[in-house]
Amino acid sequence: MRKGRLLIWVIFILICVAESSPAGLTIEHKGTPNATLLYNGKPMLKVGPLPEVAVFAVGLGSTSFDVEQWLDWMTRNDMGYGRVYPESSYDPWQALDSDKRLFPFDVIRWEKGHPVVDLTRFNRAYWDNFAEVLRQCARRGIVLHIQLYQRVFFQLNSKTDSWKQNYFHPDNNVNGYPVVRLPNGRKTNNGYWMWNAMVTHPDWRKVHKAWVEHILDAIDTNGNALIDLMNEANFKNNFMTKEWIEYTLNIIEQWEERTGNDILVGMDFDHWYKSKDPGIEYVLAHPRMELIICEGSEGHVNRDLTAGSRKPISEDLAILYRQRYRKPIVSANSPSYWPDERLEDGTRPELSNNRVRQYQWAVSYTHLTLPTN
């Protein structure tokens, strides 16, 4: 009888301990210089990589890219982190004729070899697959760094014409929503006017809200995803607005209130820093963003891990910003070249078109103990 009671008490204690351990992504020592990112109750220090677009752009079991095979490879090699994003542009990072190719919106017709979509009709197969990939990652302890938008998909210059392949571009959808002028007479050939349109125009506002909510619904209760509002944004050069940031945070908070879920949020500060945009203080100190997110590829986290031929542009900012803003640091990506490759002249290539980074990591700096005052 005593043994039976003892066994019951042991089981009870184990249940209590399990329930007291926070599941998913949480922050320990929140609001102090020792703020630490946890995953399932343990300090998180994870590396990647994950293919940034392909992981959602094809269905599970695709012969073009086997997502589960990649995830199993990560697990075998003690990897558990990657930056990913839904594709708002159909090109250039996943072939249109891939096996089990999926698109985030319903394709109404094809013109000149590319899809034309309806922005009000979200493709259920794409978003169901998005959610299943998240579940498969959660089962393996893999954390996803999800960016709501890839800024480059809205870019148009001598290096890229991704904006022309963007679903939001008027030529690639049937909705006929207008191009919205930028405030204060500013002009751009890029799709950067979209940030203003997503707040000020009712139709674009609905599309943006639905886009964000589809991402959040896919994350659901898995607990293995953090949100990065956008990579490489700033006020100065690509016309990001405070109104867009606040509206997007409102969408996330309303979803959290409705579902009871809690998702950690931040915004990549890299281009604010590089352009000396004073808006960086607004992003880093924002009370509704729990994380500091750096691109990480140009020395912000580790001076020795820089992308391709780029030179480090700063000393290590991670420790400084963690102390100053009392938030954990995570990094979006790092080099996209392989360290043993050289061109004929001895230089390293930057194979950024493969969209698979050599490393991706979240930085907890758990080995540091800092003053709490």
Side-chain angles (χ1 to χ4, degrees):
M1 188 69 176
R2 289 181 179 178
K3 290 183 179 180
R5 289 179 179 176
L6 180 60
L7 180 60
I8 292 172
W9 274 107
V10 169
I11 293 173
F12 176 75
I13 292 170
L14 289 174
I15 291 173
C16 290
V17 170
E19 290 182 347
S20 64
S21 299
L25 291 166
T26 55
I27 297 175
E28 187 178 45
H29 308 305
K30 193 172 184 177
T32 77
N34 289 315
T36 302
L37 186 62
L38 306 181
Y39 182 60
N40 290 339
K42 297 180 180 180
M44 190 178 103
L45 181 58
K46 291 177 176 285
V47 298
L50 269 169
E52 299 172 14
V53 170
V55 70
F56 300 130
V58 295
L60 294 179
S62 169
T63 58
S64 298
F65 174 64
D66 191 326
V67 176
E68 291 183 277
Q69 184 181 46
W70 187 283
L71 299 180
D72 289 340
W73 169 80
M74 290 179 68
T75 303
R76 289 195 305 272
N77 290 277
D78 297 321
M79 297 183 183
Y81 187 74
R83 175 179 78 155
V84 293
Y85 36 80
E87 57 168 301
S88 54
S89 176
Y90 62 78
D91 197 54
W93 296 333
Q94 184 62 42
L96 294 177
D97 61 354
S98 298
D99 179 42
K100 297 189 176 182
R101 184 68 160 92
L102 297 171
F103 302 96
F105 301 102
D106 283 350
V107 177
I108 304 304
R109 63 177 183 270
W110 288 78
E111 287 185 2
K112 299 178 181 179
H114 72 80
V116 176
V117 304
D118 185 339
L119 298 175
T120 67
R121 291 168 51 180
F122 285 74
N123 180 8
R124 181 171 180 176
Y126 179 92
W127 295 101
D128 284 351
N129 183 71
F130 194 109
E132 182 57 31
V133 170
L134 277 156
R135 286 190 288 270
Q136 293 292 335
C137 288
R139 289 170 190 156
R140 295 166 173 84
I142 296 172
V143 173
L144 299 183
H145 177 140
I146 300 179
Q147 293 176 327
L148 300 181
Y149 296 99
Q150 161 61 268
R151 191 268 312 169
V152 174
F153 286 158
F154 295 81
Q155 186 173 332
L156 179 64
N157 57 28
S158 59
K159 295 182 179 179
T160 178
D161 61 354
S162 291
W163 171 234
K164 291 183 178 179
Q165 285 87 45
N166 195 304
Y167 301 119
F168 297 92
H169 189 288
D171 291 345
N172 301 320
N173 62 73
V174 299
N175 303 91
Y177 298 156
V179 174
V180 178
R181 291 174 180 261
L182 290 167
N184 304 319
R186 302 179 79 182
K187 296 181 179 181
T188 178
N189 293 323
N190 295 280
Y192 298 156
W193 56 269
M194 283 297 312
W195 325 138
N196 177 56
M198 287 175 176
V199 176
T200 61
H201 190 278
D203 291 326
W204 286 120
R205 188 178 174 93
K206 290 178 184 177
V207 170
H208 173 56
K209 184 173 186 288
W211 177 268
V212 175
E213 288 178 339
H214 273 76
I215 295 171
L216 295 172
D217 286 342
I219 294 172
D220 196 28
T221 59
N222 289 299
N224 65 324
L226 61 89
I227 292 292
D228 183 350
L229 298 185
M230 186 184 300
N231 72 313
E232 301 177 348
N234 63 36
F235 295 142
K236 185 182 291 186
N237 300 325
N238 50 49
F239 310 120
M240 177 49 60
T241 70
K242 289 184 178 180
E243 290 77 12
W244 184 93
I245 294 172
E246 297 300 331
Y247 176 50
T248 305
L249 291 172
N250 287 344
I251 295 170
I252 295 171
E253 288 188 354
Q254 290 165 8
W255 180 87
E256 289 176 325
E257 291 172 1
R258 187 170 66 252
T259 64
N261 297 328
D262 182 33
I263 295 180
L264 300 180
V265 179
M267 190 171 191
D268 172 19
F269 74 75
D270 183 78
H271 278 218
W272 310 85
Y273 181 83
K274 287 198 295 191
S275 65
K276 296 181 172 57
D277 190 320
I280 189 173
E281 178 66 21
Y282 162 81
V283 171
L284 294 176
H286 200 294
R288 295 203 284 168
M289 294 193 221
E290 303 99 325
L291 302 172
I292 292 176
I293 298 176
C294 55
E295 189 168 273
S297 61
E298 296 174 61
H300 298 318
V301 172
N302 188 322
R303 291 177 60 83
D304 297 324
L305 294 176
T306 57
S309 59
R310 302 178 190 177
K311 296 180 180 179
I313 62 173
S314 71
E315 297 292 339
D316 186 342
L317 293 178
I319 297 174
L320 172 65
Y321 283 173
R322 179 169 175 250
Q323 293 181 61
R324 180 182 298 171
Y325 299 102
R326 303 183 174 214
K327 302 177 182 180
I329 303 281
V330 296
S331 176
N333 61 268
S334 68
S336 48
Y337 60 77
W338 310 120
D340 56 337
E341 287 195 39
R342 295 285 193 282
L343 298 179
E344 290 183 3
D345 63 359
T347 59
R348 295 181 187 272
E350 184 177 350
L351 301 178
S352 57
N353 285 339
N354 62 25
R355 311 315 303 168
V356 179
R357 308 293 179 168
Q358 181 188 354
Y359 303 107
Q360 295 170 317
W361 67 93
V363 181
S364 296
Y365 286 95
T366 55
H367 61 288
L368 297 174
T369 301
L370 303 170
T372 56
N373 56 9

